[in-house]
Amino acid sequence: MTDRPIRVVLAKLGLDGHDRGIRVVARVLRDAGMEVIYTGLWQTARHVARAVADEDADTVGISLLSGAHLTLVPDLIDALRAEGVGHVPVVIGGIVPDGDVPVLEKMGVARVLGPGTTLERIVGSFRELAAASRAGQRR
Amino acid sequence: MATFDTISGREIKPFYTAGDLPNPNGSDGAPGVPGVPGAFPFTRGIHADMYRGRLWTMRQFAGFGSAEDTNQRFRFLLDKGQTGLSVAFDMPTLMGLDSDDPRARGEVGRLGVAIDCAADMQRLFDSIDLARVSTSMTINAPAPILMAFYLVAAERQGIAWDKLGGTLQNDTLKEFHAQNEFVFPPEPSVRLAVDVIEFCARHAPRWHPVSISGYHIREAGSTAGQELAFTLIDGIEYVERALQRGLKIDDFAPRLSFFFNAHNEFFEEIAKFRAARRIWARRMRDHYGAKNEASWRLRFHAQTAGCSLQAQQPGVNLIRVAYQAMAAVLGGCQSLHTNSMDETLSLPTEESVTLALRTQQVLAHETGVTSTADPLGGSYYVEALTDELEKEAETYFARIAEMGGVVRCVESGYFRREIASAAARYQREVESRKRVIVGVNDFIEPPQPIPTHKADPSVEPGQIERLRTLKAQRDPAKVAAALDRIRASAAGSQNLMPAFIDAARLEVTVGEMMSALADVLGRYKQTAGWW
Amino acid sequence: MKDPASQADRLRALAERFRAGDRRALAQLISLTDDGADHSAEIRSLLDTLAAGKRSALKVGITGSAGAGKSTLAAALIRHRRAAGRSVALLACDPASPITGGALLGDRIRIEYDPADQGVFVRSIATRGAAGGLPPNADAIVRLLEAFGYDEVLIETVGAGQDQLAIRGVADVVVLVVTPSAGDEVQWQKAGLLEIADVIAVNKSDLPGADATAASLREMLDISGGDAGRQPVVKITAATGQGVDELWGMVEIARRTRSRNTP
């Protein structure tokens, strides 16, 4: 396999417009050599899934500070499956109470990066997940 | 390694002397002396007696769930000694969507209270006398409509509009710079804001129709100087537009209010508040020819910096908040919100919100910082910083004017780019550990979970149900006529407030009114300045 | 290490799904095409079979400097073409960092479409050190989009490259997007941008100076026009869609002119 750059779709799901965090993450992933496709604010689950499919992304990162994750994340997982990209690992960042992390993981979220996650860990997570996702795709 | 520049990147000298003092020519008093509190240019405060006369308003932002849930939290806070109310609306309301809109899914009553119509607003203030309590409403794109709901709720309580005291945030310009809760393009957004300013000047003279906000600009990562400059230039833009409508400066300037961030950098923050007052007073008197002293006085609400709160060791946030609150008080704020220690994790619990309020009470009653006005006045350091910040703001004003003014700079993404580059610089400093953040990049401890607020999952279906019932009970012909009137007013140049108020009386919803407006004004998709 | 047999199998399977109209197969084939040289021969021969018997699409290049409003125009054109019942694909090319190879691809911020709409396809591409702001296999990617059946293919790329001819080689018609700003016309000419364009769109025409910019462009083009006549200059406001209809008319005329002039 060629060492083509990791492709990541980053999106704000739902109505909250707080994008300071996701923009920092976008810059950091770019500086780590990834191709970051940022879809902007106010995305619905179906918009994100469509972007993941058409952009052939290796992973998708969602920022959500609205507290609506328990409703919107299952919508996203369903939408990804409907687009044929249910295998693409989903990373959730933003404000997620500790108690909700296992719930999200059970829904199929690959990783939850809550407040206070270091940028190093964020980059590492996207790298690992992309590698695993590509290996899975090749099999 | 220790750092000797501020979090905004301002270099600090080892010590300051009389040589660093501003006003060497003594324009405001004797050389190096910045005048007295309560007198032009109000660097030292808008009142001579400051907090001896009256403490600041302790105003905690609150809202979640249904109107009834928030009404209960309001009464709880009033019982605990809070002196003003501040409404947090949920995301759908902030974006002008009804609770039953598909885009609102999962967000109804989540981060604030869900208000769809005047009846909801009435329930929100049930058994709270609107003539006696002052209310602040944090809402922007749909602000005129929520104001209309409030006016109708007051009417239904039998209270005349000229008795209402409070503040509507109604500052859409900063949404484009920072918070992204805009709906319409910049030009019509400013028009709507000025409609409220004009309407209140005539019908609700005790109300503050706009709270020109730097808070969110700072939260997005700006420096203190950018926060100061961009907020004041936004304020100047509203003033210009109101003057273009034919209003007289002294008819509305006394009711303009401001909202700043109280961040970690203690002295620089105090200097920022002092500089804001001085710049504003000079503009109002010398540039706009305001005669009424109240027009010269910059009044502001402060909130401690949400972005400074950390998820690690949340108890430490109490300490950060206390210092930030002290900076706001030493800087002469008129009202203050202190964040709760758990706000990076969820909405605050009752325990944490009580502690946040108690922080203000200790400051007011135990520390003695309220005994004299502007206790830091004359400090070589603080006066020098005040002067530097003023100069920095003036430089920005000139640059923005050169680039065609505020609206052009919004469209070109100038504000966003400036803020983003400051945010990136700060982020690098934290990552490289040039800046120590306790519990984050130093003094780290294993995580200890704390109890957090649990959202009630029954709120959303309940609100949707109630809204559907309400919609079904209205006379569709009357609703359609009210919406047509809004479209017609929007297409013309008349003030939209009367059309909103009439529609609110008929229980036309915020989502319906916003869509009618969007039919005429268009929706804005911001594109410039993302990176 | 990749096993050549399994690679061939994979391509065959993708081709099968591609023929059946599976958008995911298109997306994956674009990745393989964009990937690089090691299997480009296989992909190109595959392309010949995929493209066989397919109508050709109208391929429109959109170029101009950063901030001119290329992606806002692309978004407006997508709306315009969908409203006309045409299916449309957009290839949005942005430069990658020469140091890290990473890229921020933000065109989707500006582009809005119904996620259920199968008549739109948007793909962001990072161009790594390629001349002309296009990826080395841009022509193959465009052929894939064409073979998949899109009526129109838009290719958006920054104009400030050493070799602007790249876009000429891929697109039937090239639209240069400029914004009103006094004095820049000479720069555009020096940069050779005016030569490669078939149509020039003066975007943000609500800004002061739009008329002057359009007039001075026309004047400049009249001088250098030659036999083919000068290229049309259209004032648009991509954000509101104003002038986009007229622009598209010019694009169609330019396509007919060019197909007459090129063998």
Side-chain angles (χ1 to χ4, degrees), chain B residues 173 187 190-191 194 197 212 232-249 252-253 256 280 283-284 287-289 401 405-407:
Chain B
L173 282 171
E187 281 290 349
V190 173
R191 171 200 171 179
V194 177
I197 296 174
I212 305 148
L232 294 184
I233 200 76
D234 286 350
I236 290 165
E237 185 70 16
Y238 295 125
V239 166
E240 291 281 348
R241 302 297 175 120
L243 292 173
Q244 283 167 18
R245 293 265 178 112
L247 289 177
K248 297 208 171 39
I249 186 81
F252 66 92
L256 300 177
W280 193 253
R283 277 275 168 157
M284 290 301 113
H287 188 81
Y288 293 111
V406 172
V407 169

Side-chain angles (χ1 to χ4, degrees), chain A residues 1-5 7 9-10 23 25-27 29-41 43-44 46-57 83-85 87-88 137-138, chain C residues 1-2 10 23-24 27-32 34-36 38-39 96-97 100-110 112-126 128 150:
Chain A
M1 131 142 199
T2 51
D3 56 348
R4 73 180 161 98
R7 282 172 75 81
V9 164
L10 290 184
R23 288 168 63 166
V25 170
R27 277 170 187 268
L29 296 182
R30 177 201 57 186
D31 293 345
M34 301 184 202
E35 294 180 0
V36 179
I37 298 132
Y38 179 47
T39 64
L41 302 175
Q43 299 291 296
T44 69
R46 296 183 63 196
H47 281 101
V48 177
R50 187 72 202 266
V52 170
D54 292 358
E55 297 288 356
D56 195 25
E83 282 288 344
V85 284
H87 64 279
V88 173
Q137 275 281 79
R138 275 207 311 275
Chain C
M1 277 274 72
K2 147 182 106 249
R10 187 170 174 221
R23 215 175 358 89
R24 270 295 293 160
Q28 287 170 286
L29 279 170
I30 292 175
S31 299
L32 289 173
D34 185 36
D35 252 12
D38 57 346
H39 43 252
S97 154
T100 66
L104 278 176
L105 307 171
D107 294 271
R108 279 181 176 268
I109 296 170
R110 292 146 177 100
E112 222 168 328
Y113 59 93
D114 177 359
D117 185 354
Q118 300 299 316
V120 189
F121 185 88
V122 176
R123 182 60 178 254
S124 315
I125 297 275
R128 292 177 277 277
Y150 290 103

Side-chain angles (χ1 to χ4, degrees), chain B residues 226-284:
Chain B
Q226 289 168 344
E227 179 194 355
L228 175 68
F230 298 168
T231 310
L232 294 184
I233 200 76
D234 286 350
I236 290 165
E237 185 70 16
Y238 295 125
V239 166
E240 291 281 348
R241 302 297 175 120
L243 292 173
Q244 283 167 18
R245 293 265 178 112
L247 289 177
K248 297 208 171 39
I249 186 81
D250 286 326
D251 290 347
F252 66 92
R255 304 314 292 169
L256 300 177
S257 63
F258 289 81
F259 173 19
F260 290 109
N261 201 301
H263 212 303
N264 281 339
E265 189 77 39
F266 193 74
F267 292 104
E268 192 180 41
E269 292 301 282
I270 296 167
K272 176 184 76 185
F273 304 129
R274 300 171 91 248
R277 275 191 298 268
R278 188 152 84 201
I279 297 167
W280 193 253
R282 287 184 175 154
R283 277 275 168 157
M284 290 301 113

Side-chain angles (χ1 to χ4, degrees), chain A residues 14-20 23-24 26-27 38 41-42 65-68 71-72 75 95 97-98 115-116 119-120, chain B residues 91-92 95 97 103 105-107 110-111 179-180 182 219-221 307 311-312 344-345 416 420 427 431 529-531:
Chain A
L15 299 175
D16 93 83
H18 296 96
D19 60 351
R20 181 177 175 177
R23 288 168 63 166
V24 167
R27 277 170 187 268
Y38 179 47
L41 302 175
W42 311 323
L65 281 82
S66 66
T71 313
L72 298 183
D75 288 359
I95 298 182
D98 289 342
L119 294 179
E120 209 181 333
Chain B
M91 280 307 314
M95 293 303 291
L97 300 175
R103 286 165 290 180
R105 206 173 121 68
E107 311 206 31
R110 206 37 95 153
L111 290 190
Q179 194 178 228
N180 301 323
F182 48 83
E219 288 291 297
C307 63
Q312 298 90 334
T344 57
L345 305 169
R416 298 187 73 93
Q427 192 67 39
E431 289 291 317
W530 281 96
W531 307 113

Side-chain angles (χ1 to χ4, degrees), chain B residues 47-313:
Chain B
H47 304 299
D49 59 353
M50 275 315 279
Y51 303 126
R52 294 168 74 111
R54 186 169 161 237
L55 285 171
W56 64 90
T57 304
M58 298 179 192
R59 201 193 288 280
Q60 298 293 99
F61 187 50
F64 62 93
S66 66
E68 284 83 357
D69 296 330
T70 299
N71 177 269
Q72 271 184 17
R73 177 66 71 95
F74 282 166
R75 295 208 234 165
F76 169 86
L77 287 166
L78 292 170
D79 280 351
K80 296 271 173 184
Q82 178 167 299
T83 50
L85 295 177
S86 175
V87 188
F89 295 100
D90 67 359
M91 280 307 314
T93 308
L94 291 172
M95 293 303 291
L97 300 175
D98 284 346
S99 298
D100 60 355
D101 190 295
R103 286 165 290 180
R105 206 173 121 68
E107 311 206 31
V108 176
R110 206 37 95 153
L111 290 190
V113 58
I115 300 291
D116 291 315
C117 56
D120 286 340
M121 190 69 94
Q122 209 182 331
R123 274 191 288 273
L124 182 64
F125 293 103
D126 183 43
S127 308
I128 296 171
D129 183 350
L130 294 183
R132 299 193 52 185
V133 71
S134 86
T135 305
S136 166
M137 289 192 279
T138 298
I139 186 102
N140 296 284
I145 295 168
L146 273 289
M147 185 72 211
F149 291 168
Y150 192 82
L151 293 170
V152 170
E155 196 173 77
R156 289 173 184 171
Q157 276 194 9
I159 293 161
W161 293 345
D162 61 8
K163 299 276 185 301
L164 296 176
T167 307
L168 187 71
Q169 194 163 84
N170 191 33
D171 170 19
T172 28
L173 282 171
K174 62 93 174 48
E175 298 298 335
F176 297 107
H177 309 336
Q179 194 178 228
N180 301 323
E181 288 162 14
F182 48 83
V183 174
F184 309 117
E187 281 290 349
S189 295
V190 173
R191 171 200 171 179
L192 285 167
V194 177
D195 277 357
V196 183
I197 296 174
E198 186 183 25
F199 184 88
C200 288
R202 302 193 205 288
H203 302 284
R206 290 185 55 222
W207 190 268
H208 295 109
V210 59
S211 171
I212 305 148
S213 306
Y215 181 81
H216 319 81
I217 293 172
R218 192 66 179 280
E219 288 291 297
S222 83
T223 64
Q226 289 168 344
E227 179 194 355
L228 175 68
F230 298 168
T231 310
L232 294 184
I233 200 76
D234 286 350
I236 290 165
E237 185 70 16
Y238 295 125
V239 166
E240 291 281 348
R241 302 297 175 120
L243 292 173
Q244 283 167 18
R245 293 265 178 112
L247 289 177
K248 297 208 171 39
I249 186 81
D250 286 326
D251 290 347
F252 66 92
R255 304 314 292 169
L256 300 177
S257 63
F258 289 81
F259 173 19
F260 290 109
N261 201 301
H263 212 303
N264 281 339
E265 189 77 39
F266 193 74
F267 292 104
E268 192 180 41
E269 292 301 282
I270 296 167
K272 176 184 76 185
F273 304 129
R274 300 171 91 248
R277 275 191 298 268
R278 188 152 84 201
I279 297 167
W280 193 253
R282 287 184 175 154
R283 277 275 168 157
M284 290 301 113
R285 192 189 72 173
D286 302 341
H287 188 81
Y288 293 111
K291 300 276 181 290
N292 184 350
E293 283 205 18
S295 300
W296 306 343
R297 293 194 180 104
L298 178 145
R299 290 156 301 272
F300 74 97
H301 171 70
Q303 178 171 340
T304 59
C307 63
S308 75
L309 300 180
Q310 303 300 336
Q312 298 90 334
Q313 305 177 40

